[in-house]
Amino acid sequence: MGAGPSAEGEREPLLDQVQSRVYGKRWLVLAIFSALGFMQGMVWNTWGPIQISAKQVYGFTGIDIAMLVLWGSIGFIPWMLFMWVMDKRGLRMSLLISSSLMLLGTAVRSIPLHDLSVKKWLIHGGQLLNGLAGPTIMSAPPLLSTTWFAPDQRATATAVASLVSYLGSAGSFLIGPLVVPAPNETQPLRSVIGRTNDHIRDRIQIVLYAEFAMTAVLFSAVVLYFPSRPPLPPSVAAASQRLGYRSSICRLLSNVRFLMIALAYSVPTGVVSGWSGVLDMVLTPAKVSQVDAGWIGFWSIVGGCVVGVAMARFADSIRGMLKLILLLMLAGATLASVWFTLTCLTSITHLPSTAATLYTSCILVGIFINSSVPIFFELLMETVYPVPEGITCGLVTFLTNLFMGILMFILTVYSKDLSWLNWCLTGSCVFSLLLILFFRESYDRLYLDVFVSV
């Protein structure tokens, strides 16, 4: 049973007439959740875009920058606990816990201290607390879309809820370098080195204060208004019975088709997350400045979010095409990653290495991989139904962060020459494309909403 679609016996309790309704306040719920995802992604990616400045004023090393990214993956270690809370207590309790962790994390990071050793520990601690909010923020979008949205809006809602956190990371690429000057941009102050460091440190502190203030506002919004579910479900699938927590875990781990698509999603997504988190370090050998690297990261993520929402809307309009959409996206990601990797080896391949080629290839990698996230989520939900959405996404996001964590751990050891990181990116795209090519799709949840409701 674990390797195939749900049996008729599992569908029988779902065939009764269900009274359903779609509420207008679903958009407010989606907006609050998406804003939390935006801030969680922005806080996670605070340090990568300004790593040159942080190294000068806080004494960070390349290992410190990698660890600040790695805390996001470490925060997924207790993912089963967060998924249990989501399954048993609902979305409201899960978001209250996650938003309070984010609030505490941004608060301890923003404490102004002159003792750099203590300040460094507080920054690392704050990043860990923010990382602990990740399991809920990254896993809940399909549950939110199923709970609040009609079948013809589910993929779109999943896309918005899951991709806005990536926009937060993109915001860090934009805001960080614009607010915090790189050391070489403060040349007029070089006559007084201490004054230069104070100026950069003050600018970083402004970013930390702003992120704390925005997180506090969102925490208040969750406390004041964020229901776990609407009074009436929006569809048959939303009202249907689901497997229990333990049964769901056993079913997922024994389902070969789930494991195929879980690896196809988590390997490239985990690798590109780690790769983009240290994009400034990756592009430094190509003589790309901190600001330019920030713009590259920004447009790659923004492009992925825009294309992802468009593809999700297309998937809502023409159902049953998820595998084909993924094949096209992963083929594009493979070609773009090969182009970027070979461009970085211009002395060997003799390909032209210009700002235009680096911008274009790097942005295309982000667009194709990031835009595939909501399509993967929807195909996962269709494949493993009636396993609860939160548990399914919790497991695959844990795998994503596991692979990103492994990559960041290797980076702490081999942090001088990062050409191997580009080859890992290319290999992960090829691996995912092959898995999806041989994957056999099914649409059990769609069967209920389209045929049973009719």
Side-chain angles (χ1 to χ4, degrees):
M1 182 180 72
S6 60
E8 291 296 331
E10 293 174 310
R11 294 172 180 158
E12 281 183 8
L14 314 175
L15 301 182
D16 297 332
Q17 186 68 29
V18 174
Q19 185 179 4
S20 61
R21 179 184 171 185
V22 178
Y23 294 84
K25 59 186 176 183
R26 68 191 185 280
W27 300 110
L28 177 59
V29 172
L30 179 62
I32 295 174
F33 181 89
S34 300
L36 271 176
F38 181 91
M39 281 310 304
Q40 204 272 339
M42 176 173 283
V43 173
W44 169 76
N45 197 39
T46 298
W47 302 100
I50 57 171
Q51 53 102 10
I52 296 176
S53 304
K55 286 178 179 178
Q56 171 152 323
V57 300
Y58 292 130
F60 285 160
T61 63
I63 294 177
D64 283 312
I65 299 299
M67 281 300 302
L68 289 170
V69 178
L70 183 59
W71 288 125
S73 299
I74 294 175
F76 273 76
I77 292 177
W79 69 274
M80 296 185 71
L81 173 61
F82 290 103
M83 295 308 100
W84 181 86
V85 173
M86 189 185 302
D87 186 53
K88 300 299 181 181
R89 302 299 301 274
L91 272 174
R92 176 174 172 81
M93 180 58 67
S94 298
L95 283 191
L96 282 172
I97 294 173
S98 296
S99 58
S100 61
L101 289 170
M102 291 169 57
L103 183 65
L104 181 59
T106 53
V108 298
R109 294 187 324 161
S110 60
I111 297 175
L113 292 175
H114 294 290
D115 189 332
L116 294 184
S117 61
V118 177
K119 180 69 172 180
K120 184 185 294 187
W121 280 108
L122 289 178
I123 290 173
H124 280 281
Q127 293 300 119
L128 174 59
L129 289 170
N130 184 73
L132 288 171
T136 299
I137 298 297
M138 300 299 293
S139 305
L143 174 60
L144 184 146
S145 64
T146 299
T147 304
W148 286 91
F149 287 83
D152 61 348
Q153 296 177 338
R154 269 199 306 244
T156 305
T158 298
V160 173
S162 59
L163 291 177
V164 170
S165 62
Y166 291 84
L167 280 180
S169 300
S172 293
F173 280 117
L174 178 63
I175 295 172
L178 289 180
V179 176
V180 180
N184 61 350
E185 295 173 347
T186 56
Q187 193 67 33
L189 302 177
R190 281 292 182 179
S191 57
V192 185
I193 299 299
R195 187 181 169 195
T196 302
N197 288 345
D198 288 343
H199 174 70
I200 297 175
R201 191 180 299 113
D202 289 343
R203 303 295 287 185
I204 293 177
Q205 198 66 34
I206 289 174
V207 173
L208 299 181
Y209 284 144
E211 291 178 347
F212 167 66
M214 289 186 285
T215 304
V217 171
L218 293 174
F219 173 75
S220 301
V222 174
V223 171
L224 294 175
Y225 178 80
F226 194 94
S228 281
R229 62 181 63 85
L232 293 175
S235 65
V236 176
S240 65
Q241 292 180 347
R242 302 303 171 93
L243 298 180
Y245 183 79
R246 184 177 300 178
S247 300
S248 298
I249 298 295
C250 294
R251 178 167 180 143
L252 291 177
L253 295 179
S254 64
N255 190 330
V256 176
R257 294 170 61 245
F258 164 75
L259 295 176
M260 286 180 66
I261 193 171
L263 289 174
Y265 166 78
S266 58
V267 171
T269 309
V271 171
V272 81
S273 296
W275 176 76
S276 62
V278 293
L279 186 59
D280 187 16
M281 298 170 63
V282 172
L283 293 173
T284 296
K287 310 300 182 183
V288 177
S289 69
Q290 178 173 281
V291 174
D292 286 338
W295 279 110
I296 292 174
F298 174 79
W299 287 116
S300 65
I301 295 174
V302 170
C305 293
V306 172
V307 175
V309 173
M311 288 295 100
R313 193 70 206 126
F314 175 75
D316 275 332
S317 303
I318 304 177
R319 304 177 194 179
M321 302 284 288
L322 297 178
K323 177 180 175 178
L324 178 60
I325 295 174
L326 283 178
L327 284 174
L328 295 174
M329 289 179 172
L330 292 171
T334 300
L335 293 175
S337 61
V338 169
W339 182 17
F340 177 79
T341 301
L342 295 181
T343 300
C344 292
L345 297 174
T346 183
S347 60
I348 299 175
T349 61
H350 302 292
L351 290 175
S353 178
T354 64
T357 57
L358 287 173
Y359 264 70
T360 303
S361 58
C362 191
I363 289 172
L364 285 176
V365 170
I367 287 176
F368 284 119
I369 294 182
N370 292 331
S371 63
S372 70
V373 170
I375 307 301
F376 266 116
F377 278 173
E378 287 300 299
L379 187 56
L380 279 163
M381 298 308 105
E382 298 291 348
T383 300
V384 303
Y385 182 85
V387 176
E389 289 83 356
I391 296 174
T392 303
C393 284
L395 180 54
V396 297
T397 51
F398 167 75
L399 291 175
T400 298
N401 283 269
L402 175 64
F403 289 116
M404 185 179 76
I406 293 173
L407 196 71
M408 291 297 98
F409 176 77
I410 298 174
L411 184 61
T412 61
V413 180
Y414 302 100
S415 57
K416 293 184 178 180
D417 181 10
L418 298 185
S419 59
W420 61 270
L421 197 56
N422 297 330
W423 287 111
C424 286
L425 177 67
T426 301
S428 67
C429 294
V430 174
F431 174 75
S432 180
L433 178 62
L434 292 175
L435 284 179
I436 294 298
L437 187 62
F438 293 104
F439 176 76
R440 180 173 57 86
E441 59 187 332
S442 64
Y443 295 90
D444 281 359
R445 191 177 61 166
L446 185 61
Y447 166 86
L448 282 176
D449 286 325
V450 174
F451 294 103
V452 174
S453 58
V454 173

